[in-house]
Amino acid sequence: MGLFTGQIGYAWNASLFYVKGGAAVANQRWDLLNVAGVGLVSAERTRWGGTVGVGWEYGFAPNWSVGIEWDHIWGQNDSRTFLTPRLAPVVTSITANTNSDIDMVTARINYHFNWGKSPVVARY
């Protein structure tokens, strides 16, 4: 799964509140197995959708912060029919309806490197 997002926020003291939105992509695979675990049929595809979210990050020490974020990801709904010739004539096909909406919560702790500052220069 991948998210391609932009965000806008408001910083107040050591806190950052933000909202975000963008695109989401995921690879999905369906497998139909018999009771012995033998694969009868499978399908795979890449699915695109969108995402919106909200988050909060708090700097609690120099170079350290914690954050929490919620994202709602919605994807394409799909109906896929699998032909089952190995089960014929009892079952000739099986239809699977999928909904790929996801609600995801992420908690994190971050260390911020001072990459934006000038490097230390030795003096002789």
Side-chain angles (χ1 to χ4, degrees):
M1 171 181 292
L3 300 178
F4 304 93
T5 61
Q7 68 184 36
I8 188 167
Y10 178 75
W12 178 62
N13 290 334
S15 288
L16 171 67
F17 297 95
Y18 60 91
V19 295
K20 61 188 280 188
V25 62
N27 186 52
Q28 291 186 322
R29 179 182 169 124
W30 300 271
D31 292 303
L32 177 62
L33 308 174
N34 66 13
V35 292
V38 176
L40 300 175
V41 66
S42 67
E44 185 174 4
R45 77 180 224 187
T46 300
R47 300 178 75 155
W48 286 87
T51 182
V52 294
V54 62
W56 172 66
E57 189 161 339
Y58 179 74
F60 64 90
N63 295 3
W64 288 94
S65 67
V66 294
I68 190 162
E69 179 176 300
W70 167 80
D71 294 299
H72 178 74
I73 302 161
W74 66 91
Q76 302 163 337
N77 296 331
D78 193 26
S79 179
R80 177 92 36 159
T81 299
F82 299 95
L83 301 177
T84 56
R86 292 183 185 167
L87 300 177
V90 178
V91 179
T92 57
S93 67
I94 296 174
T95 301
N97 299 312
T98 60
N99 179 339
S100 55
D101 291 359
I102 299 170
D103 285 299
M104 182 171 63
V105 175
T106 305
R108 63 185 178 270
I109 185 166
N110 307 301
Y111 179 79
H112 303 270
F113 295 96
N114 290 322
W115 290 339
K117 294 184 179 181
S118 300
V120 175
V121 178
R123 295 182 185 225
Y124 298 99

